C-alpha cells in the first residue's frame, strides 16, 4: 500500500481515490499474490513442519495487514494524517 510520493502527504486519498495512482493500485496484485503464497506454503511438504508454521504465520500476517490497511485507507480512517505513510512503509517493507 505504498503512497504515490512522500511529498504528497498533505492530502492522502480515501475511498476509491486510493486506487487512482500506479503505486497505490499495486496493492491489488500484492493481495492476490499474497494469497497465492499462502496457498502454496500451506500445500508444501517440508522436512521440518515447525519452519513451515513460521513461514505460514508471516505469510498470513502480511496478507491480513495488507488487506486491513487497504480497507482502512478506503474508509478514510487516516483522517489525512501523514503518519500513515510511515505506517504503510513499515508494514510493506519488512
Amino acid at each position: 500500500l505504498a503512497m504515490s510520493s512522500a511529498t504528497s502527504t498533505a492530502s492522502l486519498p480515501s475511498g476509491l481515490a486510493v486506487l487512482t495512482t500506479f503505486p497505490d493500485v499495486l496493492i491489488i496484485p500484492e493481495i492476490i499474490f499474497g494469497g497465492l503464497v499462502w496457498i502454496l506454503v500451506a500445500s508444501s511438504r517440508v522436512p521440518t513442519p515447525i519452519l513451515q508454521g513460521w513461514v505460514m504465520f508471516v505469510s498470513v500476517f502480511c496478507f491480513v495487514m495488507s488487506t486491513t490497511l487497504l480497507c482502512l485507507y478506503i474508509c478514510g480512517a487516516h483522517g489525512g494524517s501523514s503518519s500513515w505513510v510511515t505506517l504503510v512503509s513499515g508494514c510493506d517493507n519488512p
Side-chain angles (χ1 to χ4, degrees):
L1 203 188
M3 296 306 301
S4 55
S5 75
T7 59
S8 67
T9 59
S11 62
L12 294 175
S14 61
L16 294 179
V18 171
L19 303 175
T20 58
T21 62
F22 180 71
D24 298 333
V25 83
L26 290 177
I27 187 68
I28 294 177
E30 179 181 340
I31 290 172
I32 291 170
F33 288 119
L36 290 175
V37 166
W38 185 12
I39 293 167
L40 289 172
V41 169
S43 65
S44 300
R45 293 197 182 270
V46 293
T48 311
I50 191 72
L51 296 178
Q52 183 180 19
W54 279 109
V55 172
M56 190 70 176
F57 170 76
V58 171
S59 174
V60 171
F61 179 77
C62 291
F63 179 78
V64 169
M65 283 300 296
S66 295
T67 305
T68 302
L69 284 172
L70 175 64
C71 291
L72 288 172
Y73 259 91
I74 289 176
C75 292
H78 53 74
S81 173
S82 61
S83 63
W84 279 71
V85 175
T86 307
L87 173 70
V88 172
S89 297
C91 288
D92 285 347
N93 299 318

